[in-house]
Amino acid sequence: MPLALIVADPLIVVVRSDSPWKTFEDFVAAARQAPGTIAYSSSGSYGAIHVPVEMLAHAAGIKLKHVAYTGGGPMMTALLGGHVQMTVFSPAVAAPQIKSGELRPLLNTGAKRIALLPEVRTVYDLGYQEAEFYLWCGLFGPAKLPGPIADKIRAGVAQAVRDPEFLKHMQNARLPVEYMDGPDFRKFWMADAERIEAAIKRIGKVE
């Protein structure tokens, strides 16, 4: 039983700052001219990098080369070292390299711009709504959780997410609070699951 959504963090599409692509439109144009040759790094097949990038590639009508690594550190190293040309990270991970001038942001996979990187356009800005994707955290209970208990938990969460101390800690962690109560969270969860399921079916078996 979905009780509340707490965090929903989009991903940021990044390239090296010396990349020839200044915008996501530039990137898409290059990918269309050379299908399957522009490589991106991920932290593993069917993971939280591989799937959203393939969702974005499908929405943009391009084909990219997937190179799987063993985690976030190696995939970042691969991009900075020029072994791949693109990847995606959470805003909190990408922001320091963007601020330092090492990486250039091209796109935000969410529906709205974020305070940490307000200049970065979204998939909605570019008309790629079907590629909407978040790293999210929510609160669930057992499917048969009694209604009065579920209501009490939901009320407690609604109060907690407004607490200044909680919001301060979340801000320090660079985690955006995107609170949704149970019914709205259920709709969010179902829509997210449908997009991901469709993407995994398109990806198919990865050798």
Side-chain angles (χ1 to χ4, degrees), residues 13 22-29 56 60 106-107 121 126 128:
V13 177
K22 307 296 184 183
T23 66
F24 191 71
E25 290 92 333
D26 293 341
F27 177 84
V28 169
L56 189 55
L106 298 183
L107 194 65
R121 294 179 299 166
L126 273 64
Y128 299 142

Side-chain angles (χ1 to χ4, degrees), residues 6 8 21 25 39 41 46 57 59-60 68 81 101 107 122 125 140 142 156 159 161 163 170 177 188 191 194-195 204:
I6 309 298
W21 309 309
E25 290 92 333
S41 58
Y46 306 110
L107 194 65
T122 73
D125 291 332
F140 292 83
Q159 182 178 355
V161 295
D163 181 80
M170 295 297 281
V177 175
F188 171 92
E194 288 179 7
R195 289 192 297 269

Side-chain angles (χ1 to χ4, degrees), residues 65-79:
K65 181 179 179 181
H66 174 224
V67 183
Y69 289 84
T70 56
M75 61 180 266
M76 172 71 85
T77 300
L79 177 61

